[in-house]
Amino acid sequence: MTAPPDQTVATLANGPGSTESTRLGLTAPLRLDCGVEFSDFPVAYQTYGALNADKSNAVLICHALSGDQYVGDTHPDTGKPGWWSLMVGPGKLLDSNRYFIICVNILGGCMGTIGPKEINSDTGKPWGLDFPVITVADMVRAQALLLDHLEIEQLFCVIGGSMGGMQVLEWAALYPERVRTAVPIAAAPYHSAQNIAFHEVGRQAIMADPDWRGGNYLSEGTNPNRGLAIARMVAHITYLSEPALHNKFGRRLQDRDAVTFGFDADFQVESYLRHQGSTFVDRFDANSYLYITRAMDYFDLAERYGGVLAEAFLGCETRFCVISFTSDWLYPTSESRRIVHALNAAAANVSFAEIESDKGHDAFLLEEPEFWSVLSGFLNGAREHFGLDFGNGD
Amino acid sequence: MDALHQRTNLRGDLQIVADMVQPGGRLLDVGCGDGALLDHLIHEKGVDGRGIELSMQGVNACVSHGLSVIQGDADTDLNDYPDGAFDYVVLSQTLQATRAPRDVLGNMLRIGRRAIVSFPNFGHWRVRVSLMFGGRMPVTNALPHHWFDSPNIHSCTIKDFIQLCAELGIVIERSVALNHRGARRRIRSNVAFTNLAGEQAVFLLTRETVSS
């Protein structure tokens, strides 16, 4: 965690993206769903490419639970490629030669935007559990404030997978006039009981770690690494699929010829999960994990509209492209279909494709040619429909 | 989008469907396949076109070509749409493959001011000859499947379809039969003859309460 809360505007010298930070809520506060108001708060983001003259080429990428604003660039903490570097950059599908791409660290995140890790100016200490519980809608309202700050009235596209897809749906519901196209990928209109259950296991693991210190670990100089790592291990299983685990690991043993009759990581899959857990704690804040999973649990888009999801999209002129993956059991196709049915009931313009993949929920992050071809075709069709020409991008 | 489909060379029955659509307006193509008709209507007739397609390959091909198409099923997914959402709802070569064609037809005219339906005519002379003299389930150009692998679970004749429209209070505005060479003939000029000579039929339908 290197980004200080008052990070000044800086540009990574060796990346195509520009790393930025600003303070929002200066003229009017951001009022959260829980009633708390944020004034003068930091928001960190990255941009790729340039805004065109009529400001019609802006694309907002919404990141998922464990993502951040480093969507295309090498991550400053891990040194690994950005989480969607396959998709974002010059000449890529989300082409920075063609689009002005924005990716914002979400509210409650831990990469520079206000969250439980940041300093509460009232106390001079990290927020910790004093941080208010936030919602997906709050994240979107904060992003809208950033667009105001960037003087961008309308987005060509809002796109994201998983929790990013939930934000996409909130964007279309809260600010339909600001969204020309919306692409919720591997998403759902609400968090299911099963999803909440898995999140609860993760949160309990964190809070059961003695180093969590009732949420005050930053002030007390500890870190609930074991708890956060277990939370990540559980969650990681839900992002994969049985075929994906089988193909990758099967029952193969890790650097040994026989089981050891002990509780060391005999199996490759154990070793892999332990690695996922231990690397996660180096870049993610445990309290952030609690707050963001809670925001996802609270997500139920239809709730504001009397339980009728279609009401969220009435009169919406946004063009939607809903995408799901066959082996995703965390956000299964049936959930995407619920979104599509609601959009149909609102007579909205929607495309919906289910992509054959054995990669599970994580398929949206990976190279899936059919997914890319569908997305590319949708964006091309939308550009043609709106009569937009951002150049050939080559 | 250019030259993805041969827009000028639509299949014969699709061309008749296309000719029945007035420019502009909103159109839903149910069972849109690879999107050839939808693409044609969007670009040649300027319609706001949407599609529903059962096969994943068909849907992905359509969306990849910039068409607004969802993966879905005529039997279940028409229920979602609000009344009068479309000017036209098209069902080409699909009615006979639905589980409940009567409900599908009713739904089409609930969500659309007009419906255009095309289907292979089971009263065609080749079908009758095949059954009568061959004693076998017919396999023809318009009905190319064997009985055991046919998706066509609710085949009907032109007369059957006209009868169903009457029962449902549906007004037939136009009706065209195509013979096996693709020649067109108005069905109402001679129902008995077109029911024998027509290999395929295309109907433009509306609700009785709607005035044109």
Side-chain angles (χ1 to χ4, degrees):
Chain A
M1 305 287 70
T2 55
D6 59 346
Q7 180 186 15
T8 49
V9 174
T11 303
L12 280 183
N14 56 355
S18 170
T19 302
E20 317 270 355
S21 179
T22 187
R23 299 190 77 85
L24 299 176
L26 300 174
T27 48
L30 171 67
R31 189 176 165 81
L32 304 176
D33 278 333
C34 68
V36 172
E37 294 186 340
F38 279 157
S39 302
D40 192 9
F41 63 96
V43 168
Y45 60 101
Q46 272 211 312
T47 67
Y48 299 75
L51 192 61
N52 62 4
D54 62 359
K55 302 183 178 183
S56 61
N57 70 336
V59 171
L60 178 70
I61 298 175
C62 302
H63 71 72
L65 164 58
S66 62
D68 53 37
Q69 67 271 41
Y70 297 99
V71 58
D73 279 350
T74 301
H75 196 280
D77 292 350
T78 65
K80 289 186 176 161
W83 59 270
W84 229 5
S85 55
L86 291 172
M87 184 76 82
V88 176
K92 304 277 178 66
L93 203 161
L94 294 176
D95 189 345
S96 52
N97 292 330
R98 178 181 259 163
Y99 302 115
F100 179 60
I101 295 163
I102 309 156
C103 187
V104 193
N105 188 211
I106 54 164
L107 210 64
C110 53
M111 287 301 286
T113 294
I114 188 167
K117 182 173 74 77
E118 306 299 328
I119 302 294
N120 179 354
S121 54
D122 290 346
T123 63
K125 291 199 286 193
W127 279 92
L129 291 196
D130 289 337
F131 195 75
V133 170
I134 45 155
T135 64
V136 173
D138 291 333
M139 298 172 188
V140 167
R141 292 187 191 104
Q143 290 162 1
L145 285 183
L146 178 66
L147 287 197
D148 294 342
H149 168 75
L150 296 173
E151 297 179 343
I152 295 170
E153 188 52 44
Q154 194 181 43
L155 294 161
F156 170 66
C157 180
V158 184
I159 181 171
S162 195
M163 186 183 74
M166 295 176 177
Q167 293 166 65
V168 170
L169 295 174
E170 277 289 10
W171 260 102
L174 289 172
Y175 307 104
E177 70 291 346
R178 299 187 80 163
V179 181
R180 279 187 142 147
T181 67
V183 186
I185 307 163
Y190 59 79
H191 222 220
S192 70
Q194 178 177 256
N195 293 352
I196 295 169
F198 276 114
H199 275 173
E200 175 61 1
V201 173
R203 284 191 295 264
Q204 288 298 331
I206 290 168
M207 293 189 285
D209 187 329
D211 286 340
W212 183 60
R213 304 287 169 95
N216 293 322
Y217 52 89
L218 290 176
S219 304
E220 300 191 17
T222 59
N223 203 42
N225 286 343
R226 282 166 296 173
L228 182 57
I230 293 169
R232 175 63 172 172
M233 288 166 76
V234 172
H236 203 81
I237 300 167
T238 69
Y239 302 152
L240 302 173
S241 68
E242 211 289 314
L245 284 172
H246 177 79
N247 293 339
K248 201 165 182 174
F249 308 110
R251 290 182 51 81
R252 285 189 294 279
L253 302 178
Q254 178 69 23
D255 301 329
R256 63 202 67 188
D257 299 325
V259 296
T260 60
F261 295 94
F263 297 104
D264 195 14
D266 277 349
F267 294 98
Q268 285 184 5
V269 65
E270 293 174 289
S271 172
Y272 171 78
L273 281 181
R274 289 182 189 193
H275 175 75
Q276 290 295 329
S278 67
T279 53
F280 189 60
V281 302
D282 293 335
R283 69 176 178 91
F284 216 87
D285 177 62
N287 283 338
S288 245
Y289 197 87
L290 301 182
Y291 278 93
I292 297 169
T293 55
R294 206 67 183 138
M296 294 172 77
D297 292 351
Y298 282 2
F299 183 69
D300 178 2
L301 187 53
E303 203 177 26
R304 285 204 304 274
Y305 304 91
V308 183
L309 186 59
E311 301 272 333
F313 306 115
L314 275 187
C316 177
E317 291 182 18
T318 302
R319 286 167 81 92
F320 289 84
C321 183
V322 179
I323 297 173
S324 70
F325 299 93
T326 50
S327 57
D328 183 350
W329 55 277
L330 193 61
Y331 295 84
T333 292
S334 54
E335 298 296 341
S336 283
R337 214 178 278 283
R338 244 184 252 279
I339 299 168
V340 172
H341 287 176
L343 288 166
N344 283 343
N349 188 310
V350 54
S351 295
F352 165 51
E354 183 188 29
I355 308 295
E356 181 93 43
S357 165
D358 67 358
K359 303 292 196 311
H361 182 58
D362 265 355
F364 83 91
L365 299 167
L366 305 172
E367 184 170 354
E368 289 284 349
E370 202 180 12
F371 162 38
W372 290 6
S373 135
V374 163
L375 178 57
S376 165
F378 170 75
L379 293 175
N380 289 342
R383 281 202 310 273
E384 186 187 14
H385 174 80
F386 291 116
L388 296 170
D389 181 12
F390 306 141
N392 64 11
D394 298 326
Chain B
M1 288 296 295
D2 35 61
L4 286 173
H5 302 292
Q6 296 293 318
R7 284 185 194 136
T8 48
N9 286 331
L10 274 183
R11 211 173 64 207
D13 60 312
L14 293 183
Q15 188 59 55
I16 294 177
V17 172
D19 291 345
M20 288 177 173
V21 174
Q22 296 296 316
R26 292 157 67 101
L27 178 141
L28 179 68
D29 186 358
V30 184
C32 62
D34 67 356
L37 175 68
L38 199 53
D39 187 60
H40 177 90
L41 291 172
I42 289 169
H43 290 91
E44 304 301 322
K45 292 284 180 88
V47 301
D48 176 4
R50 322 277 176 81
I52 297 181
E53 169 58 26
L54 191 58
S55 82
M56 211 188 288
Q57 298 93 318
V59 174
N60 295 2
C62 287
V63 181
S64 295
H65 293 160
L67 301 172
S68 296
V69 172
I70 66 165
Q71 200 272 327
D73 184 334
D75 277 303
T76 56
D77 290 81
L78 297 184
N79 293 328
D80 301 323
Y81 294 94
D83 296 359
F86 298 96
D87 296 302
Y88 293 94
V89 179
V90 176
L91 188 72
S92 44
Q93 305 292 332
T94 305
L95 184 70
Q96 76 282 357
T98 60
R99 283 191 299 280
R102 188 187 161 107
D103 296 342
V104 169
L105 205 55
N107 244 335
M108 288 174 71
L109 281 161
R110 177 185 65 79
I111 67 178
R113 291 178 60 237
R114 288 192 167 79
I116 302 174
V117 178
S118 75
F119 58 87
N121 174 29
F122 212 78
H124 184 231
W125 65 269
R126 281 179 194 266
V127 174
R128 299 193 199 192
V129 165
S130 171
L131 199 54
M132 184 154 186
F133 297 108
R136 303 277 307 273
M137 283 299 282
V139 178
T140 66
N141 288 336
L143 294 160
H145 303 278
H146 293 96
W147 66 273
F148 49 82
D149 62 9
S150 177
N152 302 325
I153 53 175
H154 286 123
S155 288
C156 70
T157 69
I158 287 174
K159 267 190 182 170
D160 288 329
F161 187 77
I162 292 172
Q163 173 65 31
L164 179 61
C165 288
E167 278 176 30
L168 295 176
I170 292 170
V171 175
I172 298 169
E173 285 196 342
R174 286 176 65 187
S175 55
V176 178
L178 280 93
N179 69 14
H180 64 284
R181 285 190 300 273
R184 305 180 185 189
R185 192 182 174 99
R186 284 180 56 216
I187 288 173
R188 263 182 297 182
S189 65
N190 187 335
V191 173
F193 174 73
T194 49
N195 194 31
L196 192 63
E199 192 168 50
Q200 297 182 59
V202 186
F203 285 81
L204 174 64
L205 311 168
T206 187
R207 281 167 289 174
E208 266 180 335
T209 48
V210 174
S211 62
S212 57

